[in-house]
Amino acid sequence: ARRFDDYYTRGQDLGKGAFAKVFVGIHKQSKKEYAVKNILDRTKMMWNNRDALKDEIGSLEKLRRAPHIVQMQEYFMEDKQCYLVMELLPGKELFERIIQKSTFTEAEARNSCRCVLSALA
């Protein structure tokens, strides 16, 4: 079976959530950097007999090359953990950017809304 650590080197931590941590992963062959979402315990991703992790992977696969959606490169299902290798996006989340800027012009707000709505369409 393919193992994440055979293909990627772990870089700096980017964040942590209830079920996963995110860090920079550097592809050993190409040296390209990705954001890696490491689900620490796959068993915690089951709700009402549904595998939320498989649902997330399925959704990301369906949305490949969709505009304004982060792209999943590949994933690794291991014994207890899972690694989702995603494109590494510069900058911060939209909410953080709004707070940091303190004011948004109408044109900036319109462009942000257009991107969000385009992603949802």
Side-chain angles (χ1 to χ4, degrees):
R2 292 174 5 116
R3 309 282 300 172
F4 173 81
D5 289 314
D6 292 339
Y7 295 88
Y8 292 88
T9 302
R10 296 166 191 253
Q12 74 179 52
D13 289 341
L14 297 174
K16 187 172 182 173
F19 301 104
K21 62 181 179 178
V22 180
F23 58 88
V24 173
I26 302 134
H27 190 264
K28 289 181 177 180
Q29 188 173 17
S30 71
K31 307 296 184 221
K32 187 169 180 184
E33 292 186 346
Y34 295 92
V36 179
K37 182 177 180 180
N38 176 209
I39 291 85
L40 304 171
D41 184 354
R42 290 176 29 195
T43 62
K44 292 183 179 177
M45 299 294 292
M46 295 291 293
W47 293 295
N48 298 326
N49 292 328
R50 287 200 54 122
D51 189 335
L53 179 56
K54 285 186 179 179
D55 288 347
E56 181 175 356
I57 291 169
S59 295
L60 289 168
E61 286 180 327
K62 286 178 188 173
L63 295 170
R64 285 190 186 219
R65 289 174 262 308
H68 312 297
I69 301 285
V70 66
Q71 297 296 298
M72 182 177 67
Q73 181 73 19
E74 60 183 330
Y75 64 93
F76 295 81
M77 286 282 199
E78 297 187 2
D79 295 333
K80 283 200 161 220
Q81 300 183 58
C82 178
Y83 299 87
L84 304 180
V85 181
M86 318 284 285
E87 69 179 310
L88 181 61
L89 301 175
K92 300 179 179 180
E93 292 188 26
L94 178 60
F95 179 72
E96 290 175 17
R97 288 185 58 209
I98 292 169
I99 298 300
Q100 185 179 27
K101 274 185 70 87
S102 75
T103 60
F104 243 35
T105 67
E106 185 177 332
E108 290 171 320
R110 183 174 53 245
N111 186 46
S112 294
C113 287
R114 184 177 291 127
C115 289
V116 170
L117 293 173
S118 172
L120 295 173

